[in-house]
């Protein structure tokens, strides 16, 4: 096992074993400098690819929830996205790295399940790598719906360990007519400790017309 793989494994374990937001902030602060080298862009780029496949209006403002170091912003720049891209993350250290990349018009620090944005503020939301063990809770999804305009697209990834609890919330929001689930399937997520491809779950939803 390479030194980089050992470091990545140690940091993932530290994140997954966090018991509160302070622990998560500490873990990501320790990881910020090497995060881009230690992780692949698979989850970020897959989420963005799915988002752009379903949201064809490049003028809408988009929320990058759990933006981390801002990796998900690169495809928007390449696609010449016109609408503003806002990044939101728990870790200020990660946001500082995202600021250096310059893909986001605005970067805001905060903790889910609460978002400091107005109702219907965004034309869509994507969240790559956000929903992992001991991280943002399933109730975050209702906040995504709140800040997204009717007809807007929400795309997010989930680790297999949390898929069941998030699927319950996905279905609950469908039953409440908050959104329509367009897709829920497995795709490549990240490179594993032995260079194998680890699959993750990806969900695409369309926000319903609100009363």
């Amino acid at each position: 096992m390479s030194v980089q793989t050992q470091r990545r494994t140690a940091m993932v374990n530290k994140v997954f074993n966090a018991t509160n937001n302070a622990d998560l902030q500490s873990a990501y602060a320790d990881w910020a400098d090497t995060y881009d080298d230690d992780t692949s862009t698979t989850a970020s780029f897959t989420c963005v690819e799915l988002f752009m496949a379903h949201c064809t209006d490049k003028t809408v403002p988009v929320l990058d929830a759990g933006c981390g170091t801002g990796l998900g912003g690169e495809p928007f720049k390449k696609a010449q996205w016109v609408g503003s891209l806002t990044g939101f993350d728990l870790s200020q250290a990660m946001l500082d790295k995202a600021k250096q990349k310059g893909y986001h018009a605005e970067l805001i620090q905060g903790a889910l399940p609460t978002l400091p944005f107005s109702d219907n503020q965004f034309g869509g939301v994507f969240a790559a790598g956000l929903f992992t063990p001991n991280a943002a809770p399933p109730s975050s999804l209702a906040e995504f719906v709140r800040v997204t305009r009717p007809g807007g697209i929400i795309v997010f990834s989930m680790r297999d360990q949390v898929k069941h609890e998030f699927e319950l919330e996905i279905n609950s929001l469908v039953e409440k007519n908050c959104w329509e689930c367009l897709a829920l399937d497995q795709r490549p997520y990240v490179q594993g400790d032995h260079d194998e491809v680890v699959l993750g779950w990806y969900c695409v939803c369309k926000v319903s017309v609100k009363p």
Side-chain angles (χ1 to χ4, degrees):
M1 187 182 295
S2 68
V3 172
Q4 183 183 48
T5 299
Q6 290 177 343
R7 182 178 63 207
R8 181 179 66 219
T9 300
M11 294 311 305
V12 168
N13 288 336
K14 188 172 183 179
V15 168
F16 282 10
N17 291 326
T19 58
N20 53 51
N21 284 339
D23 287 347
L24 279 173
Q25 286 176 314
S26 175
Y28 280 117
D30 291 343
W31 202 2
D33 285 340
T34 61
Y35 184 85
D36 288 358
D37 292 333
D38 292 346
T39 60
S40 70
T41 58
T42 305
S44 293
F45 286 4
T46 300
C47 272
V48 175
E49 179 182 350
L50 287 168
F51 180 85
M52 290 184 178
H54 290 85
C55 180
T56 57
D57 183 357
K58 294 184 178 182
T59 67
V60 300
V62 176
L63 174 63
D64 180 357
C67 65
T69 61
L71 290 171
E74 182 181 348
F76 282 87
K77 182 177 181 179
K78 289 182 176 179
Q80 298 182 321
W81 199 268
V82 177
S84 61
L85 183 63
T86 297
F88 178 84
D89 200 88
L90 174 67
S91 169
Q92 187 58 53
M94 300 290 264
L95 289 172
D96 290 343
K97 296 296 181 181
K99 184 177 181 180
Q100 293 174 11
K101 292 182 174 69
Y103 297 135
H104 297 76
E106 187 175 21
L107 293 163
I108 296 176
Q109 191 273 333
L112 284 163
T114 302
L115 289 171
F117 305 113
S118 303
D119 294 356
N120 306 326
Q121 183 169 337
F122 299 100
V125 176
F126 76 96
L130 175 62
F131 298 132
T132 63
N134 299 321
S139 55
S140 304
L141 299 180
E143 271 290 89
F144 288 179
V145 173
R146 181 186 66 80
V147 302
T148 304
R149 300 168 186 170
I153 297 297
I154 298 174
V155 178
F156 54 94
S157 65
M158 298 168 282
R159 280 279 196 166
D160 192 61
Q161 300 96 314
V162 301
K163 187 250 186 179
H164 175 69
E165 58 186 301
F166 274 87
E167 191 169 17
L168 291 175
E169 183 66 12
I170 292 167
N171 292 336
S172 174
L173 291 170
V174 169
E175 292 171 1
K176 294 174 183 176
N177 197 34
C178 295
W179 65 16
E180 175 188 1
C181 183
L182 303 179
L184 176 60
D185 56 23
Q186 281 188 301
R187 296 168 183 253
Y189 184 92
V190 72
Q191 188 177 35
D193 293 341
H194 303 287
D195 295 329
E196 76 279 15
V197 175
V198 177
L199 298 179
W201 289 91
Y202 294 84
C203 186
V204 181
C205 294
K206 182 177 182 180
V207 175
S208 304
V209 175
K210 302 175 184 179

